Amino acid sequence: MSSFYQPVTPEGAGETERPAPDKVLSGDPVFTTWNLEERDGLYCGIWRSTPGKWRISYDEWEYCRILSGHSVLTDADGNEITLRAGDSFMLRPGFSGTWEVIETTTKDYVIRL
């Protein structure tokens, strides 16, 4: 395979973690991340979360595409967006609100610090 081409697919067990306990609002979400690229402030890969709800705050720019599952993203003003497979969106630095995973959700992402 050529060195310029990298399939965006999870391989192996990935890295697991949970949100900080003080950010969790419900459930016991577990995150699994498969980082495929980390270079010069650019990160991309696959992320998956089990059900739960937690507070989020972004200092970075992120593009995401939902691959499977069902989540609800709510901004600090209470505006909700339902996310399902095929939905693509960007989160900009300064965004804060909550992420609620209703059904285990998998997304691919590109983050720029």
Side-chain angles (χ1 to χ4, degrees):
M1 185 173 304
S2 175
S3 63
F4 72 87
Y5 176 80
Q6 171 72 43
V8 180
T9 57
E11 293 184 18
E15 299 175 19
T16 59
E17 63 181 340
R18 286 179 162 84
D22 62 327
K23 293 186 177 191
V24 176
L25 300 172
S26 66
D28 182 23
V30 176
F31 306 153
T32 305
T33 304
W34 294 268
N35 284 311
L36 303 174
E37 186 78 39
E38 296 181 27
R39 184 187 321 198
D40 301 324
L42 177 74
Y43 300 84
C44 66
I46 305 286
W47 175 89
R48 178 176 295 144
S49 178
T50 60
K53 183 176 183 179
W54 61 96
R55 288 183 200 90
I56 58 173
S57 178
Y58 276 70
D59 294 326
E60 66 276 1
W61 175 94
E62 182 176 4
Y63 165 83
C64 306
R65 182 172 50 105
I66 303 297
L67 302 173
S68 65
H70 172 201
S71 287
V72 176
L73 191 61
T74 305
D75 69 16
D77 294 328
N79 300 304
E80 293 184 354
I81 302 292
T82 298
L83 303 169
R84 296 188 184 272
D87 291 338
S88 299
F89 58 99
M90 284 187 338
L91 295 172
R92 292 183 175 91
F95 178 86
S96 65
T98 62
W99 187 297
E100 181 176 13
V101 173
I102 308 297
E103 175 187 302
T104 296
T105 297
T106 303
K107 69 177 182 177
D108 60 15
Y109 63 88
V110 177
I111 295 172
R112 183 71 175 171
L113 299 181

